[in-house]
Amino acid sequence: MTRTVWFNCCAGVAGDMLLAALIDAGADRLAVMDAWGALGIDGFAATWEPVQRCGVASLWTNIAIDDEHDHDHDHDDDHDDDHDQDHEQRTNEHSEPHTHRPARDVLALIEGADMPAEIVSSALAVYRRLAEIEGEIHGTDADDVELHEVGALDSILDVVGVCAALHDLGIRHLTYSPIAVGHGTVGTAHGRLPNPVPAVTRLLAATGARTIGIDTTMELATPTGVALLTVLGNACGPMPAMTVQATGFGAGTADPPGRPNVVQAVVGTAEHAAADAAGWAGRPCHLLEANVDDVTGEVLAHTITVLLDDGAHDAWVTPIVMKKGRPAHTVSALCDDASFERVRRRLIDETGTLGVRATTVQRWPQQRDERTVSVDGHQVRVKVSDGRVKVEHDDAQRAAAALGRPLRSVLMHAERLGSGSDG
């Protein structure tokens, strides 16, 4: 059985709406607040308030920011009506239009947080993708790009909060409906931009996500909300076949007449066979490959290391024979949309290859938990899945060197502790 969530985005999507929908569907708000606490940020308060949206009972995420802790935060509640309308999907109508942070600062903040590895990796994937998109739009390197609205503290809290809520619910597969969008223009830190904004359309184009047009000038789909769906999601389409266990509704700030301004989360389980038949069980990802015949073994080993550091799920080298009987190697890397361009560029730079090919494949990661065990006072991470315990090699290697013990002895000890068979 696979734990699944489907989001109904008939009124658009924003990060705070996704978060509220997951909490309304049963995610533990304390788990979300623990993840926020791990960021080490003060000066904000959050509540989830029961509201009605066109007669639908839902939760509204209300995040209040103390501008002493976020000096660019704009608390001017006297925005003009057009500006308020443009930002009705955001958590607060006085959200921080002038706040900006370099992408590297946001990524460092998340990387340094003491959270479960799955939450950290998911949040990093979302922000790396946002940085790449903003870099493409403004012609800036992804690490150097200034994140404006999506770099605001409330957006950071939305992304980390959604990742923590998905982790708490044990969600392994995420799907979503076609996303509603408006038209006209919206006010942003860069001035008035087309609605939907360029970041949203590029995120949609990168994954082939479908949309529904609604006759409104409201900003229905925000970059944060769309990034969460397109980066973490498996597919866009109708609700998959599953046994429904819970449902929740996350409200936007506005309550327009005639339609409920909510995102609906439907949580349940699906059998693997049913998931396969629906075509969404596997996580879509990219297989990047290059054939090289003039790269040393040392460089190939280094390339694998840096590809993994740049976000590849896995990287490997396969011996091959090329034309005229020349011995050569295929360098392969498996990655998501969020790290595709970075991994592709790294593969070219490190090997000097004249070409890279890519195919889209399905990936079925086994559900697993990461925990830390103590081997004679040294912390060693282990990954635990059904019937298997995998010890983090680098941690075990450091512990073995510090203790003066054989590596295999430390590996066996950590494995026993991880499986619970050694007190």
Side-chain angles (χ1 to χ4, degrees), residues 12-304:
V13 65
D16 60 298
M17 297 171 75
L18 292 171
L19 177 55
L22 288 169
I23 289 176
D24 197 37
D28 186 353
R29 63 189 68 190
L30 292 180
V32 171
M33 297 176 76
D34 284 345
W36 285 346
L39 294 171
I41 298 175
D42 296 321
F44 71 91
T47 58
W48 286 275
E49 302 175 14
V51 295
Q52 293 275 333
R53 293 292 179 260
C54 200
V56 175
S58 49
L59 281 185
W60 175 58
T61 303
N62 184 18
I63 298 177
I65 308 291
D66 181 355
D67 58 0
E68 290 183 2
H69 292 80
D70 201 357
H71 60 84
D72 288 326
H73 190 273
D74 187 349
H75 273 271
D76 179 11
D77 289 323
D78 297 324
H79 294 314
D80 59 51
D81 292 340
D82 288 339
H83 186 279
D84 282 342
Q85 187 181 47
D86 291 338
H87 290 272
E88 280 172 318
Q89 290 296 80
R90 302 187 186 279
T91 302
N92 299 300
E93 296 194 31
H94 53 272
S95 65
E96 43 207 316
H98 303 300
T99 297
H100 62 276
R101 290 178 174 83
R104 66 166 65 87
D105 289 357
V106 178
L107 294 172
L109 177 68
I110 296 170
E111 284 179 315
D114 184 17
M115 297 184 289
E118 185 174 346
I119 300 176
V120 173
S121 62
S122 295
L124 286 175
V126 172
Y127 263 106
R128 283 175 179 146
R129 186 63 181 143
L130 283 167
E132 289 169 359
I133 289 292
E134 292 290 342
E136 292 173 7
I137 293 171
H138 302 296
T140 305
D141 185 85
D143 289 334
D144 297 328
V145 71
E146 295 283 337
L147 300 175
H148 291 271
E149 283 89 349
V150 295
L153 178 54
D154 53 357
S155 291
I156 296 172
L157 296 174
D158 288 343
V159 170
V160 172
V162 168
C163 294
L166 291 170
H167 182 265
D168 179 69
L169 289 171
I171 300 299
R172 311 313 304 174
H173 295 286
L174 185 158
T175 60
Y176 53 97
S177 74
I179 301 170
V181 296
H183 62 85
T185 62
V186 296
T188 73
H190 299 287
R192 300 199 71 82
L193 295 177
N195 181 20
V197 296
V200 166
T201 53
R202 288 190 180 229
L203 286 164
L204 295 170
T207 55
R210 298 192 294 280
T211 61
I212 298 174
I214 292 182
D215 187 13
T216 178
T217 57
M218 287 176 59
E219 185 187 24
L220 299 183
T222 70
T224 301
V226 174
L228 282 162
L229 292 181
T230 56
V231 173
L232 304 181
N234 300 94
C236 174
M239 186 169 70
M242 63 175 168
T243 301
V244 176
Q245 297 171 325
T247 187
F249 294 91
T253 300
D255 188 12
R259 57 183 175 85
N261 185 24
V262 297
V263 167
Q264 180 185 23
V266 181
V267 177
T269 57
E271 293 185 5
H272 294 296
D276 290 343
W280 55 266
R283 292 180 181 270
C285 59
H286 304 286
L287 176 61
L288 289 165
E289 293 183 316
N291 292 348
V292 293
D293 61 3
D294 57 354
V295 182
T296 67
E298 293 87 349
V299 170
L300 290 173
H302 172 74
T303 299
I304 291 175

